[in-house]
Amino acid sequence: MAKKIRFGVVGTNFISDWVIAGGRQDERFELTAVYSRTQKTADAFAAKHQILHTFTSLEEMAASPLIDAVYIASPNFLHASQSILCMSHGKHVLCEKPFASNAREAKEMIVASEKYNVTLMEAMKPTLTPNFRAVRENLSRLGTIRRYFSSYCQYSSRYDKFKEGVVLNAFKPELSNGAMMDIGIYTVYPMVVLFGRPQKIEASGVVLSSGADGQGAVNFTYEGMNATVLYSKIADSYLPTEIQGEEGNITLDRVNLISKVGFIPRPTAKSGKGPKPEPRDISYIRDKDEYYYEVAEFIDLIEAGKRESEINSHTHSLITLEIIDEVRRQLGIVYPAD
């Protein structure tokens, strides 16, 4: 029988619901405790998910011998401090994206992981899925890569409230929130995993009256290639993600939830006169919940005694936040955590 990793959960929102559902598809995952600021909320969440232990003190849960690891899904501005607290008590930490409010906080988290010799990983789910592996495995078929393009624009229901004068958490900079931190990061993180740190960043966007970004567009320069990402919480888009090479293209239907990956070889001179080529489906069949893969990767790391993932690595998380810091600087977005 597989050894159980006993988890405590910080955060009782819908993302925690989704991660728990995915985690329970791994027989090594055992949900043992939940922390909430109020006993009422903790009790309700515990009843919903059949959790035995509740805490209203994070310090007490972090110190508890009842858990081995913590999944943190609290507001962004709390990610770093709560992660470091849990790591200081020897607990492994799976921290929801974005890793932290800024790169400075991310560095402090990484130092804590080394100091306390525990596993720390950002819960960026798409990069750990089989279909992102299909992208990585087929990248060499493109020859010299010339462009990465990704779009994730999704009109937020919370924006309707914003237009009525009610500013909900999604648009509060004091919580380290906004369009880039919420969904734009999904376009940037895979780019960093595939291509590393860009040489140049040029950002433009719409900053709302609350001081949070509503949408943005960022151009990146790499050696021999360009990258562009679009993101928004105030408009929709149905554009796919595409990687363009001299020998072909790879397309992803949605960068945040990759259901289909296509490969289009460059048409020959003769075939180029015909109809537009159709992508060849190179997707893997996904037989697990989309959140299963990040939990399984995290548990694999704990079992192997590794502090970080090779894909959702500390370096990739840090570079991503350094990029976001620069985008925010160019847009004039400041968080109290800065």
Side-chain angles (χ1 to χ4, degrees):
M1 180 176 289
K3 181 180 182 296
K4 299 287 188 179
I5 302 297
R6 301 167 302 166
F7 278 76
V9 171
V10 178
T12 55
N13 55 38
F14 58 89
I15 295 177
S16 294
D17 294 336
W18 296 342
V19 170
I20 290 168
R24 280 179 164 158
Q25 292 187 349
D26 191 315
E27 61 179 358
R28 302 167 298 175
F29 176 88
E30 184 175 289
L31 184 56
T32 303
V34 59
Y35 159 79
S36 182
R37 290 173 297 174
T38 68
Q39 190 64 54
K40 181 180 179 180
T41 303
D43 288 342
F45 194 82
K48 179 165 64 171
H49 292 289
Q50 298 82 53
I51 303 171
L52 290 177
H53 304 284
T54 62
F55 293 88
T56 55
S57 163
L58 184 58
E59 177 84 37
E60 288 182 12
M61 188 172 85
S64 171
L66 296 169
I67 62 172
D68 309 302
V70 179
Y71 167 64
I72 293 178
S74 53
N76 298 342
F77 80 106
L78 293 171
H79 285 184
S81 60
Q82 292 182 340
S83 293
I84 292 169
L85 171 62
C86 292
M87 286 188 284
S88 73
H89 287 282
K91 301 303 188 286
H92 307 287
V93 171
L94 176 63
C95 183
E96 190 51 60
K97 62 82 193 164
F99 212 29
S101 296
N102 49 46
R104 175 187 57 78
E105 287 187 347
K107 291 176 183 176
E108 293 171 355
M109 293 165 69
I110 293 167
V111 167
S113 170
E114 182 174 3
K115 178 179 179 181
Y116 301 111
N117 193 30
V118 291
T119 302
L120 171 66
M121 192 184 85
E122 184 169 2
M124 171 57 67
K125 63 182 173 66
T127 46
L128 297 170
T129 60
N131 277 334
F132 190 75
R133 186 172 78 248
V135 174
R136 295 169 63 224
E137 290 174 348
N138 286 277
L139 208 59
S140 62
R141 301 173 71 181
L142 304 187
T144 301
I145 295 172
R146 294 304 187 190
R147 187 180 304 277
Y148 167 90
F149 169 80
S150 186
S151 174
Y152 186 10
C153 303
Q154 182 173 291
Y155 187 97
S156 171
S157 59
R158 296 167 180 84
Y159 185 53
D160 289 333
K161 286 291 187 181
F162 186 91
K163 290 189 289 186
E164 294 171 2
V166 179
V167 182
L168 300 177
N169 289 355
F171 297 110
K172 288 184 176 180
E174 57 266 36
L175 301 183
S176 302
N177 278 348
M180 172 55 92
M181 295 290 265
D182 185 16
I183 62 178
I185 190 172
Y186 282 110
T187 66
V188 174
Y189 203 105
M191 178 189 78
V192 171
V193 173
L194 295 173
F195 307 113
R197 186 191 304 274
Q199 298 172 337
K200 186 178 179 182
I201 302 170
E202 297 176 287
S204 62
V206 174
V207 180
L208 303 175
S209 57
S210 67
D213 56 328
Q215 69 176 32
V218 190
N219 290 319
F220 303 93
T221 301
Y222 285 88
E223 182 67 38
M225 66 167 279
N226 304 106
T228 296
V229 304
L230 310 177
Y231 59 93
S232 179
K233 288 178 71 68
I234 58 176
D236 289 318
S237 173
Y238 305 96
L239 296 173
T241 289
E242 183 179 47
I243 305 169
Q244 304 168 6
E246 292 186 357
E247 301 301 324
N249 297 44
I250 287 176
T251 59
L252 294 71
D253 58 344
R254 292 174 59 190
V255 73
N256 63 307
L257 175 57
I258 311 168
S259 299
K260 190 171 183 179
V261 183
F263 170 66
I264 308 172
R266 179 174 59 83
T268 63
K270 184 177 180 180
S271 64
K273 297 179 182 179
K276 182 179 177 181
E278 290 295 322
R280 301 173 185 173
D281 190 351
I282 57 172
S283 312
Y284 284 112
I285 296 174
R286 196 185 78 213
D287 61 348
K288 300 285 189 181
D289 182 276
E290 61 179 306
Y291 286 92
Y292 159 83
Y293 302 100
E294 66 182 33
V295 176
E297 171 82 359
F298 181 62
I299 294 175
D300 286 346
L301 296 172
I302 294 172
E303 290 186 339
K306 296 180 179 179
R307 290 192 299 105
E308 62 178 309
S309 167
E310 293 181 8
I311 301 171
N312 286 13
S313 68
H314 295 170
T315 297
H316 291 153
S317 293
L318 180 58
I319 291 173
T320 298
L321 275 171
E322 288 173 344
I323 289 171
I324 293 175
D325 285 354
E326 175 59 19
V327 170
R328 289 198 294 115
R329 187 193 69 79
Q330 292 186 24
L331 297 183
I333 298 169
V334 179
Y335 295 150
D338 296 333

